Amino acid sequence: MRVLETAQQVREWVKQLHAVHGLTIGFVPTMGSLHEAHLSLIDISRQRTDKTIVSIFVNPAQFSPGEDFDSYPRDEEADLELCRERGVDAVWLPSVDEMYPEGFSTYVEVEGLDTQLCGASRPGHFRGVTTVVSKLFNVVQPDVAVFGRKDVQQARIIQRMTYDLQFGIEIILGDTLREVDGLAMSSRNVRLTPEHRLEAPALHQALSEASSQFQEGINEAERLLETVRNRIKQDAPSGKIDYIQLVGWNDLQPVEHVDTKSLLAVAVRFGSVRLIDNIILEK
Ligand code: PAF
């Protein structure tokens, strides 16, 4: 497995594979602290392409002042070992100085899709994500890139950006992987206290309960949202609800009834750890 540090090294590796050997390249961008859910995205990339590259970069531009940039879990050695074991062909470890050189002043923003859900409570977050992902895409120029469905708003925004900016990259969404009690896997889970860890599965249970109601014929947003709210309040009393929203899949705007594919999504803070989860409602 190659460990690449500079954009130039990545460009040379990619050029060799693409132009000289005619191979396809799959890309899994990450912020490290890899767990089974990241590895499942790597598996998808390996199944779909000849060579897989993973980037590991905790992107300062997507954290607001006061968010958990400094305490975001980092373990480069363990990440590299996991990538090696999983058959990754190259890992790119960009530096902050190379990604954001002095005077950096160019940002990529997808309008409209970031007004609700995490976009409302984390202003500037998605601008940081789309800026770094477009820089990573420009350097790697993959055929396929794989993102997790847990960060569904991020995935939808990246799909839109890729289409609008004609990157010519196929974006694949990997399913959310869960612990046995239903908690969505996340790098932030390790920072939950034991008490919060016990309460955290309530997010998935609440969404599943509303999804069952929807399958039984209830499609009014208010009733489904109330089910989620009540279940979280009851089973995760120390969680602070950031949002519970039901939005359309295409425009990510609130809906009153579920008539077409929609997204029921939650964000809850347990102390300084903010967890998100979602479920798709579709007949
Ligand atoms: O989902 C993540 O880990 C990050 O937001 C991403 C896509 C790697 C951009 O920094």
Side-chain angles (χ1 to χ4, degrees):
M1 184 181 82
R2 301 280 183 90
V3 179
L4 308 168
E5 279 168 13
T6 64
Q8 185 56 25
Q9 288 171 341
V10 177
R11 285 187 200 281
E12 279 164 17
W13 183 77
V14 166
K15 195 169 160 195
Q16 184 75 6
L17 297 177
H18 260 162
V20 181
H21 299 291
L23 299 176
T24 54
I25 294 177
F27 180 36
V28 184
T30 79
M31 296 208 300
S33 194
L34 303 182
H35 47 71
E36 215 36 62
H38 294 110
L39 303 181
S40 72
L41 305 182
I42 290 171
D43 291 345
I44 294 173
S45 172
R46 292 191 67 229
Q47 282 152 17
R48 294 289 301 266
T49 60
D50 298 316
K51 296 283 176 188
T52 288
I53 179 165
V54 171
S55 64
I56 299 178
F57 180 61
V58 185
N59 172 34
Q62 67 189 76
F63 292 81
S64 307
E67 286 193 332
D68 58 350
F69 175 70
D70 290 330
S71 58
Y72 195 85
R74 292 163 170 88
D75 192 345
E76 194 175 293
E77 279 317 305
D79 288 345
L80 290 175
E81 196 44 43
L82 284 171
C83 286
R84 214 170 268 121
E85 283 169 9
R86 208 65 168 212
V88 169
D89 299 285
V91 174
W92 179 19
L93 303 169
S95 69
V96 174
D97 287 348
E98 196 184 19
M99 293 303 274
Y100 298 108
E102 211 183 311
F104 182 87
S105 43
T106 306
Y107 292 88
V108 176
E109 195 161 354
V110 175
E111 294 181 343
L113 294 182
D114 64 351
T115 57
Q116 305 292 323
L117 310 170
C118 295
S121 47
R122 300 185 71 189
H125 167 69
F126 289 114
R127 185 174 93 138
V129 170
T130 44
T131 299
V132 82
V133 171
S134 45
K135 284 173 66 76
L136 297 169
F137 279 1
N138 271 333
V139 175
V140 176
Q141 304 205 350
D143 299 278
V144 162
V146 194
F147 293 86
R149 205 184 290 270
K150 180 177 75 68
D151 297 306
V152 68
Q153 186 174 20
Q154 163 174 289
R156 297 285 299 113
I157 288 174
I158 288 169
Q159 283 179 321
R160 183 80 237 175
M161 175 190 81
T162 305
Y163 181 77
D164 288 350
L165 296 184
Q166 298 172 296
F167 275 111
I169 299 168
E170 184 188 354
I171 305 296
I172 300 180
L173 305 191
D175 286 338
T176 303
L177 256 62
R178 299 187 177 279
E179 305 291 351
V180 280
D181 56 11
L183 175 63
M185 289 187 185
S186 162
S187 304
R188 290 186 166 99
N189 290 351
V190 295
R191 293 182 41 235
L192 290 167
T193 64
E195 295 73 27
H196 291 159
R197 175 65 188 80
L198 283 175
E199 292 185 13
L203 275 68
H204 178 57
Q205 282 151 15
L207 293 169
S208 302
E209 198 175 320
S211 173
S212 303
Q213 283 184 323
F214 171 68
Q215 296 306 333
E216 285 159 13
I218 294 172
N219 78 342
E220 295 91 6
E222 205 30 65
R223 286 188 65 188
L224 298 169
L225 294 170
E226 195 183 336
T227 297
V228 178
R229 200 176 304 119
N230 289 344
R231 170 62 51 208
I232 292 177
K233 279 190 176 161
Q234 188 179 312
D235 292 353
S238 49
K240 300 251 176 314
I241 295 173
D242 183 351
Y243 66 75
I244 303 171
Q245 279 199 291
L246 184 54
V247 298
W249 176 257
N250 285 329
D251 60 3
L252 302 185
Q253 292 300 312
V255 294
E256 287 183 7
H257 296 97
V258 183
D259 299 319
T260 55
K261 185 173 179 179
S262 300
L263 197 59
L264 185 54
V266 298
V268 177
R269 285 179 202 280
F270 291 93
S272 64
V273 183
R274 183 174 174 282
L275 298 183
I276 58 173
D277 204 347
N278 67 79
I279 205 160
I280 292 171
L281 301 184
E282 188 178 28
K283 283 280 186 208

